[in-house]
Coordinates of all heavy atoms in Angstrom, one line a residue:
M1 N 25.0 23.5 -25.3 CA 25.5 23.3 -26.7 C 26.6 24.3 -27.0 O 26.5 25.5 -26.6 CB 24.2 23.6 -27.5 CG 24.5 23.4 -29.0 SD 23.0 23.1 -29.9 CE 23.7 21.9 -31.0
S2 N 27.6 23.9 -27.7 CA 28.7 24.7 -28.0 C 28.4 25.5 -29.2 O 27.6 25.2 -30.0 CB 30.0 23.9 -28.2 OG 29.8 23.0 -29.3
Q3 N 29.2 26.6 -29.4 CA 29.0 27.5 -30.5 C 29.7 26.8 -31.7 O 30.6 26.0 -31.6 CB 29.7 28.8 -30.3 CG 29.0 29.7 -29.4 CD 29.7 31.1 -29.4 OE1 30.8 31.2 -29.7 NE2 28.9 32.1 -28.9
Q4 N 29.2 27.1 -32.9 CA 29.8 26.6 -34.1 C 31.1 27.3 -34.4 O 31.2 28.5 -34.2 CB 28.8 26.8 -35.3 CG 29.4 26.2 -36.6 CD 28.4 26.4 -37.7 OE1 27.3 26.9 -37.5 NE2 28.8 26.0 -38.9
L5 N 32.1 26.5 -34.8 CA 33.4 27.1 -35.1 C 33.4 27.9 -36.4 O 32.9 27.4 -37.4 CB 34.4 26.0 -35.1 CG 35.9 26.4 -35.4 CD1 36.4 27.2 -34.3 CD2 36.7 25.1 -35.5
A6 N 33.9 29.1 -36.4 CA 33.9 29.9 -37.6 C 35.2 30.6 -37.6 O 35.8 31.0 -36.6 CB 32.7 30.9 -37.6
F7 N 35.7 30.7 -38.8 CA 37.0 31.5 -39.0 C 36.7 32.8 -39.7 O 36.8 32.9 -41.0 CB 38.0 30.6 -39.9 CG 38.3 29.3 -39.2 CD1 37.8 28.1 -39.6 CD2 39.2 29.3 -38.1 CE1 38.2 27.0 -39.0 CE2 39.5 28.2 -37.5 CZ 39.0 27.0 -37.9
N8 N 36.4 33.8 -39.0 CA 36.1 35.1 -39.5 C 37.4 35.9 -39.3 O 37.7 36.4 -38.2 CB 34.9 35.8 -38.8 CG 33.7 35.0 -39.0 OD1 33.4 34.5 -40.1 ND2 32.8 34.9 -38.0
I9 N 38.1 36.1 -40.4 CA 39.4 36.8 -40.3 C 39.2 38.1 -41.2 O 39.0 38.0 -42.4 CB 40.6 36.0 -40.8 CG1 40.7 34.7 -40.0 CG2 41.8 36.8 -40.8 CD1 41.7 33.7 -40.6
Y10 N 39.3 39.2 -40.6 CA 39.1 40.5 -41.3 C 40.5 41.1 -41.5 O 41.3 41.0 -40.6 CB 38.2 41.4 -40.5 CG 36.9 40.7 -40.3 CD1 36.5 40.2 -39.0 CD2 35.9 40.7 -41.3 CE1 35.3 39.5 -38.8 CE2 34.7 40.1 -41.1 CZ 34.4 39.5 -39.9 OH 33.2 38.9 -39.7
P11 N 40.7 41.8 -42.6 CA 42.0 42.4 -42.8 C 42.5 43.4 -41.7 O 43.7 43.4 -41.4 CB 41.8 43.2 -44.2 CG 40.6 42.5 -44.8 CD 39.8 42.0 -43.7
D12 N 41.6 44.1 -41.1 CA 42.0 45.0 -40.0 C 42.4 44.3 -38.8 O 43.1 44.8 -37.9 CB 40.8 45.9 -39.6 CG 40.4 46.8 -40.8 OD1 41.2 47.0 -41.7 OD2 39.2 47.2 -40.8
D13 N 42.1 43.0 -38.6 CA 42.5 42.2 -37.5 C 43.9 41.6 -37.6 O 44.4 41.1 -36.6 CB 41.5 41.1 -37.2 CG 40.1 41.6 -36.9 OD1 40.0 42.7 -36.4 OD2 39.1 40.8 -37.0
I14 N 44.4 41.6 -38.8 CA 45.7 40.9 -39.1 C 46.9 41.8 -38.6 O 46.9 43.0 -39.0 CB 45.9 40.6 -40.5 CG1 44.7 39.6 -40.9 CG2 47.2 40.0 -40.8 CD1 44.7 39.3 -42.4
I15 N 47.7 41.3 -37.8 CA 48.9 42.0 -37.3 C 50.1 41.3 -37.8 O 50.3 40.1 -37.6 CB 48.9 42.1 -35.8 CG1 47.7 42.9 -35.3 CG2 50.2 42.8 -35.3 CD1 47.5 42.8 -33.8
G16 N 51.0 42.0 -38.5 CA 52.2 41.3 -39.0 C 52.1 40.8 -40.4 O 51.0 40.9 -41.0
P17 N 53.1 40.1 -40.9 CA 53.1 39.6 -42.3 C 52.1 38.5 -42.4 O 51.8 37.7 -41.5 CB 54.5 39.2 -42.5 CG 55.0 38.9 -41.2 CD 54.3 39.8 -40.2
V18 N 51.5 38.4 -43.6 CA 50.5 37.3 -43.9 C 51.3 36.3 -44.8 O 51.8 36.6 -45.8 CB 49.3 37.9 -44.6 CG1 48.4 36.8 -45.0 CG2 48.6 38.9 -43.8
S19 N 51.3 35.0 -44.3 CA 52.0 34.0 -45.1 C 51.1 33.4 -46.2 O 51.6 32.7 -47.0 CB 52.4 32.9 -44.1 OG 51.2 32.2 -43.6
G20 N 49.8 33.7 -46.2 CA 48.9 33.2 -47.2 C 48.2 31.9 -46.8 O 47.2 31.5 -47.3
E21 N 48.7 31.2 -45.8 CA 48.1 30.0 -45.3 C 47.8 30.0 -43.8 O 48.6 30.6 -43.1 CB 49.0 28.8 -45.6 CG 49.2 28.5 -47.1 CD 49.6 27.1 -47.3 OE1 49.5 26.2 -46.5 OE2 50.2 26.8 -48.4
V22 N 46.7 29.5 -43.4 CA 46.3 29.4 -42.0 C 46.5 28.0 -41.5 O 46.0 27.1 -42.2 CB 44.9 29.9 -41.9 CG1 44.4 29.8 -40.4 CG2 44.8 31.4 -42.3
D23 N 47.1 27.8 -40.4 CA 47.2 26.5 -39.8 C 45.8 26.2 -39.1 O 45.6 26.7 -38.0 CB 48.3 26.4 -38.8 CG 48.5 25.0 -38.2 OD1 47.7 24.1 -38.5 OD2 49.5 24.8 -37.5
L24 N 45.0 25.4 -39.8 CA 43.6 25.2 -39.3 C 43.6 24.4 -38.0 O 42.8 24.7 -37.1 CB 42.8 24.5 -40.4 CG 42.5 25.3 -41.6 CD1 41.7 24.4 -42.6 CD2 41.7 26.5 -41.3
A25 N 44.6 23.5 -37.9 CA 44.6 22.7 -36.6 C 44.9 23.6 -35.4 O 44.3 23.5 -34.4 CB 45.7 21.6 -36.7
A26 N 45.9 24.5 -35.6 CA 46.2 25.5 -34.6 C 45.0 26.4 -34.3 O 44.7 26.8 -33.1 CB 47.4 26.3 -35.0
A27 N 44.3 26.8 -35.4 CA 43.1 27.7 -35.2 C 42.0 27.0 -34.4 O 41.4 27.6 -33.6 CB 42.6 28.2 -36.5
V28 N 41.8 25.7 -34.7 CA 40.8 25.0 -34.0 C 41.2 24.8 -32.5 O 40.3 25.1 -31.6 CB 40.6 23.6 -34.6 CG1 39.8 22.7 -33.7 CG2 40.0 23.7 -36.0
L29 N 42.4 24.5 -32.2 CA 42.9 24.4 -30.8 C 42.8 25.8 -30.1 O 42.3 25.9 -29.0 CB 44.3 23.9 -30.7 CG 44.5 22.4 -30.8 CD1 46.0 22.1 -30.9 CD2 43.8 21.7 -29.7
A30 N 43.1 26.9 -30.8 CA 43.0 28.2 -30.2 C 41.5 28.5 -29.9 O 41.2 29.2 -28.9 CB 43.6 29.2 -31.1
A31 N 40.6 28.1 -30.8 CA 39.2 28.4 -30.6 C 38.7 27.7 -29.4 O 37.6 28.1 -28.8 CB 38.4 28.0 -31.8
H32 N 39.3 26.6 -29.0 CA 38.9 25.8 -27.8 C 39.9 26.0 -26.6 O 40.0 25.2 -25.7 CB 38.8 24.3 -28.2 CG 37.7 24.0 -29.1 ND1 37.8 24.2 -30.5 CD2 36.4 23.7 -28.9 CE1 36.7 23.9 -31.1 NE2 35.8 23.6 -30.1
D33 N 40.6 27.1 -26.7 CA 41.5 27.5 -25.6 C 42.5 26.4 -25.3 O 42.9 26.1 -24.1 CB 40.7 27.9 -24.3 CG 39.9 29.1 -24.5 OD1 40.3 30.0 -25.2 OD2 38.7 29.1 -23.9
G34 N 43.0 25.7 -26.3 CA 44.0 24.7 -26.2 C 43.5 23.3 -25.7 O 44.3 22.4 -25.5
D35 N 42.2 23.2 -25.5 CA 41.6 21.9 -25.0 C 41.4 21.0 -26.2 O 40.4 21.1 -26.9 CB 40.3 22.2 -24.3 CG 39.7 21.0 -23.7 OD1 40.2 19.8 -23.9 OD2 38.6 21.1 -23.0
A36 N 42.3 20.1 -26.4 CA 42.3 19.2 -27.6 C 41.1 18.3 -27.5 O 40.4 18.0 -28.6 CB 43.6 18.3 -27.6
L37 N 40.7 17.7 -26.4 CA 39.5 16.8 -26.3 C 38.3 17.6 -26.6 O 37.4 17.0 -27.4 CB 39.5 16.3 -24.9 CG 38.5 15.1 -24.7 CD1 38.8 14.0 -25.6 CD2 38.6 14.6 -23.2
S38 N 38.1 18.8 -26.2 CA 37.0 19.6 -26.6 C 36.9 19.9 -28.1 O 35.9 19.8 -28.7 CB 37.0 20.9 -25.8 OG 35.9 21.7 -26.2
A39 N 38.1 20.2 -28.6 CA 38.2 20.4 -30.1 C 37.8 19.2 -30.9 O 37.0 19.3 -31.8 CB 39.6 20.9 -30.4
I40 N 38.3 18.0 -30.5 CA 37.9 16.8 -31.2 C 36.4 16.5 -31.1 O 35.8 16.2 -32.1 CB 38.8 15.6 -30.6 CG1 40.2 15.8 -31.0 CG2 38.2 14.3 -31.2 CD1 41.2 14.8 -30.3
R41 N 35.9 16.7 -29.9 CA 34.4 16.4 -29.7 C 33.6 17.4 -30.6 O 32.6 17.0 -31.2 CB 34.1 16.6 -28.2 CG 34.5 15.5 -27.4 CD 34.0 15.7 -25.9 NE 34.4 14.5 -25.2 CZ 34.9 14.6 -23.9 NH1 35.1 15.8 -23.4 NH2 35.2 13.5 -23.3
N42 N 34.0 18.6 -30.6 CA 33.3 19.6 -31.5 C 33.4 19.3 -33.0 O 32.4 19.4 -33.7 CB 33.8 21.0 -31.2 CG 32.8 22.1 -31.6 OD1 31.6 21.8 -31.8 ND2 33.3 23.3 -31.8
L43 N 34.6 18.9 -33.4 CA 34.8 18.5 -34.8 C 34.0 17.3 -35.2 O 33.4 17.2 -36.3 CB 36.3 18.3 -35.1 CG 37.1 19.6 -35.1 CD1 38.6 19.3 -35.2 CD2 36.7 20.5 -36.2
L44 N 33.9 16.3 -34.3 CA 33.1 15.1 -34.5 C 31.6 15.5 -34.6 O 30.9 14.9 -35.5 CB 33.4 14.1 -33.5 CG 34.7 13.4 -33.5 CD1 34.9 12.5 -32.3 CD2 34.9 12.6 -34.8
A45 N 31.2 16.4 -33.7 CA 29.8 16.8 -33.8 C 29.5 17.5 -35.1 O 28.4 17.3 -35.7 CB 29.5 17.7 -32.6
D46 N 30.4 18.4 -35.5 CA 30.3 19.1 -36.8 C 30.2 18.1 -38.0 O 29.4 18.2 -38.9 CB 31.4 20.1 -37.0 CG 31.3 21.3 -36.2 OD1 30.2 21.6 -35.6 OD2 32.3 22.1 -36.1
A47 N 31.1 17.1 -37.9 CA 31.1 16.1 -39.0 C 29.8 15.3 -39.1 O 29.2 15.1 -40.1 CB 32.3 15.1 -38.8
D48 N 29.3 15.0 -37.9 CA 28.0 14.3 -37.8 C 26.8 15.1 -38.4 O 26.0 14.7 -39.1 CB 27.7 13.9 -36.4 CG 26.5 13.0 -36.3 OD1 26.4 12.0 -37.0 OD2 25.6 13.3 -35.4
F49 N 26.8 16.4 -38.0 CA 25.8 17.3 -38.5 C 25.9 17.5 -40.0 O 24.9 17.4 -40.7 CB 26.0 18.7 -37.8 CG 25.2 19.8 -38.4 CD1 23.8 19.9 -38.1 CD2 25.7 20.7 -39.3 CE1 23.0 20.9 -38.7 CE2 24.9 21.7 -39.9 CZ 23.6 21.8 -39.6
L50 N 27.1 17.6 -40.5 CA 27.2 17.7 -42.0 C 26.8 16.5 -42.7 O 26.2 16.6 -43.8 CB 28.7 18.2 -42.3 CG 29.1 19.6 -41.9 CD1 30.5 19.8 -42.1 CD2 28.2 20.6 -42.5
R51 N 27.1 15.3 -42.2 CA 26.7 14.1 -42.8 C 25.2 14.0 -42.8 O 24.6 13.6 -43.8 CB 27.2 12.8 -42.0 CG 28.6 12.4 -42.4 CD 28.9 11.1 -41.8 NE 30.4 10.9 -41.8 CZ 31.1 11.2 -40.7 NH1 30.6 11.6 -39.6 NH2 32.4 11.1 -40.8
D52 N 24.5 14.4 -41.8 CA 23.1 14.4 -41.7 C 22.5 15.4 -42.8 O 21.5 15.1 -43.5 CB 22.6 14.8 -40.3 CG 21.1 14.9 -40.3 OD1 20.4 13.8 -40.5 OD2 20.5 15.9 -40.0
Q53 N 23.1 16.6 -42.9 CA 22.7 17.6 -43.9 C 22.8 17.0 -45.3 O 22.0 17.2 -46.1 CB 23.4 18.9 -43.7 CG 23.1 19.6 -42.4 CD 21.7 20.1 -42.4 OE1 21.2 20.9 -43.2 NE2 20.9 19.6 -41.5
L54 N 24.0 16.4 -45.5 CA 24.2 15.8 -46.9 C 23.2 14.7 -47.2 O 22.7 14.6 -48.3 CB 25.6 15.2 -46.9 CG 26.1 14.7 -48.2 CD1 26.1 15.7 -49.3 CD2 27.5 14.1 -48.1
Y55 N 22.9 13.9 -46.2 CA 21.9 12.8 -46.4 C 20.5 13.4 -46.7 O 19.9 13.0 -47.6 CB 21.8 12.0 -45.1 CG 20.7 11.0 -45.1 CD1 20.8 9.8 -45.9 CD2 19.5 11.2 -44.4 CE1 19.7 8.9 -45.9 CE2 18.4 10.3 -44.5 CZ 18.5 9.2 -45.2 OH 17.5 8.3 -45.3
R56 N 20.1 14.4 -45.9 CA 18.8 15.1 -46.2 C 18.8 15.7 -47.6 O 17.8 15.6 -48.3 CB 18.5 16.1 -45.1 CG 18.2 15.5 -43.8 CD 18.2 16.6 -42.7 NE 18.1 16.1 -41.4 CZ 17.0 16.1 -40.7 NH1 15.8 16.6 -41.2 NH2 17.0 15.6 -39.5
A57 N 19.8 16.4 -48.0 CA 19.9 17.1 -49.3 C 19.8 16.0 -50.4 O 19.2 16.2 -51.4 CB 21.1 17.9 -49.4
S58 N 20.5 14.9 -50.2 CA 20.5 13.9 -51.2 C 19.1 13.2 -51.4 O 18.8 12.8 -52.5 CB 21.6 12.8 -50.9 OG 21.1 12.0 -49.8
K59 N 18.3 13.2 -50.4 CA 17.0 12.7 -50.5 C 16.0 13.6 -51.2 O 15.0 13.1 -51.8 CB 16.4 12.3 -49.1 CG 17.2 11.2 -48.4 CD 17.1 9.9 -49.3 CE 17.9 8.8 -48.7 NZ 18.0 7.7 -49.6
V60 N 16.2 14.9 -51.2 CA 15.3 15.8 -51.8 C 15.7 16.3 -53.2 O 14.9 16.8 -53.9 CB 15.0 17.0 -50.9 CG1 14.4 16.6 -49.6 CG2 16.2 17.8 -50.6
M61 N 17.0 16.0 -53.6 CA 17.4 16.5 -54.9 C 17.0 15.5 -55.9 O 17.1 14.3 -55.7 CB 18.8 16.9 -54.9 CG 19.8 15.8 -54.8 SD 21.5 16.6 -54.8 CE 22.4 15.2 -54.1
S62 N 16.7 16.0 -57.1 CA 16.4 15.1 -58.2 C 17.6 14.4 -58.8 O 18.7 15.0 -58.9 CB 15.7 16.0 -59.3 OG 15.7 15.4 -60.6
H63 N 17.4 13.2 -59.2 CA 18.5 12.4 -59.9 C 19.0 13.1 -61.1 O 20.2 13.2 -61.4 CB 18.0 11.0 -60.2 CG 19.1 10.1 -60.7 ND1 20.1 9.6 -60.0 CD2 19.3 9.6 -62.0 CE1 20.9 8.8 -60.7 NE2 20.4 8.8 -61.9
G64 N 18.0 13.7 -61.9 CA 18.4 14.4 -63.1 C 19.1 15.7 -62.9 O 19.9 16.2 -63.7
M65 N 18.8 16.3 -61.7 CA 19.4 17.6 -61.4 C 20.9 17.5 -61.3 O 21.7 18.4 -61.6 CB 18.8 18.1 -60.1 CG 19.3 19.5 -59.6 SD 18.5 20.0 -58.2 CE 19.7 19.8 -56.9
V66 N 21.4 16.4 -60.8 CA 22.8 16.3 -60.5 C 23.5 15.3 -61.5 O 24.6 14.8 -61.3 CB 23.1 15.8 -59.1 CG1 22.7 16.9 -58.1 CG2 22.4 14.6 -58.7
R67 N 22.7 14.9 -62.5 CA 23.2 14.0 -63.6 C 23.8 12.7 -63.1 O 24.9 12.3 -63.5 CB 24.2 14.8 -64.5 CG 23.6 16.0 -65.2 CD 24.6 16.7 -66.0 NE 24.0 17.9 -66.5 CZ 23.6 18.1 -67.8 NH1 23.8 17.2 -68.6 NH2 23.1 19.3 -68.1
G68 N 23.1 12.1 -62.2 CA 23.6 10.8 -61.7 C 24.5 10.8 -60.5 O 24.8 9.8 -59.9
W69 N 25.0 12.0 -60.2 CA 26.0 12.1 -59.1 C 25.3 11.8 -57.8 O 24.1 12.2 -57.5 CB 26.6 13.5 -59.0 CG 27.5 13.7 -57.8 CD1 28.8 13.4 -57.7 CD2 27.1 14.3 -56.5 NE1 29.3 13.7 -56.5 CE2 28.3 14.3 -55.7 CE3 25.9 14.8 -56.0 CZ2 28.3 14.8 -54.4 CZ3 26.0 15.3 -54.7 CH2 27.1 15.2 -54.0
R70 N 25.9 11.0 -56.9 CA 25.4 10.7 -55.6 C 26.5 11.1 -54.6 O 27.7 10.8 -54.8 CB 25.0 9.3 -55.4 CG 23.8 8.9 -56.2 CD 22.6 9.5 -55.5 NE 21.4 9.3 -56.2 CZ 20.4 10.0 -56.1 NH1 20.4 11.1 -55.4 NH2 19.3 9.8 -56.8
P71 N 26.1 11.7 -53.5 CA 27.1 12.0 -52.5 C 27.7 10.8 -51.8 O 27.1 9.7 -51.7 CB 26.3 12.9 -51.5 CG 24.9 12.4 -51.6 CD 24.8 12.0 -53.1
R72 N 28.9 10.9 -51.3 CA 29.6 9.9 -50.5 C 29.6 10.5 -49.0 O 29.8 11.7 -48.8 CB 31.0 9.7 -50.9 CG 31.0 8.8 -52.2 CD 32.4 8.5 -52.6 NE 32.7 9.1 -53.9 CZ 33.8 9.6 -54.2 NH1 34.9 9.5 -53.5 NH2 33.9 10.1 -55.4
Y73 N 29.4 9.6 -48.1 CA 29.3 10.1 -46.7 C 30.6 9.9 -46.0 O 30.8 10.4 -44.9 CB 28.2 9.3 -46.0 CG 26.8 9.6 -46.6 CD1 26.3 8.8 -47.5 CD2 26.2 10.9 -46.4 CE1 25.1 9.0 -48.2 CE2 25.0 11.2 -47.1 CZ 24.4 10.2 -47.9 OH 23.3 10.6 -48.6
E74 N 31.5 9.2 -46.5 CA 32.8 9.0 -45.9 C 33.9 9.3 -47.0 O 33.7 9.0 -48.2 CB 33.0 7.6 -45.4 CG 32.0 7.2 -44.3 CD 32.1 7.9 -43.0 OE1 33.3 8.4 -42.7 OE2 31.1 8.2 -42.4
R75 N 35.1 9.8 -46.5 CA 36.2 10.0 -47.4 C 36.7 8.7 -47.9 O 36.7 7.7 -47.2 CB 37.3 10.7 -46.7 CG 37.1 12.2 -46.6 CD 38.3 12.9 -46.2 NE 38.7 12.5 -44.9 CZ 39.7 13.0 -44.3 NH1 40.5 13.9 -44.9 NH2 40.0 12.6 -43.1
T76 N 37.2 8.6 -49.1 CA 37.9 7.4 -49.6 C 39.3 7.8 -50.0 O 39.6 8.9 -50.4 CB 37.1 6.8 -50.9 OG1 37.1 7.9 -51.9 CG2 35.7 6.4 -50.5
A77 N 40.2 6.8 -49.9 CA 41.6 7.1 -50.2 C 41.9 7.4 -51.6 O 41.3 7.2 -52.5 CB 42.4 5.9 -49.7

């Protein structure tokens, strides 16, 4: 099982100017040592895990608690 991807960036670790934005795609590839296929597989596994967690949470939360809001499991345009 692979480790969960995390972006722990501490101020002491930053060398050079900070642009304010992080290229997440480059960070994901760097976390997988440049292996794009491994990065895609890991991101798909993370998405599947998060969908499952969202489904479980939606089943246990009260309809009144969220005032009728229901989660969506896929992005819409």
Side-chain angles (χ1 to χ4, degrees):
M1 178 158 219
S2 64
Q3 286 185 343
Q4 183 177 356
L5 181 61
F7 298 106
N8 297 324
I9 302 171
Y10 302 102
D12 296 337
D13 296 338
I14 299 172
I15 299 171
V18 177
S19 67
E21 293 200 23
V22 174
D23 184 351
L24 292 178
V28 168
L29 277 175
H32 291 86
D33 298 321
D35 184 354
L37 193 55
S38 175
I40 292 169
R41 285 184 177 135
N42 199 18
L43 289 172
L44 290 173
D46 285 346
D48 188 48
F49 170 77
L50 292 173
R51 276 191 200 96
D52 180 62
Q53 293 294 297
L54 184 59
Y55 173 77
R56 290 172 188 256
S58 71
K59 291 301 176 190
V60 297
M61 68 182 166
S62 162
H63 184 72
M65 180 176 109
V66 293
R67 299 180 187 253
W69 175 84
R70 288 286 175 209
R72 285 185 243 146
Y73 299 100
E74 300 294 330
R75 280 193 296 180
T76 57

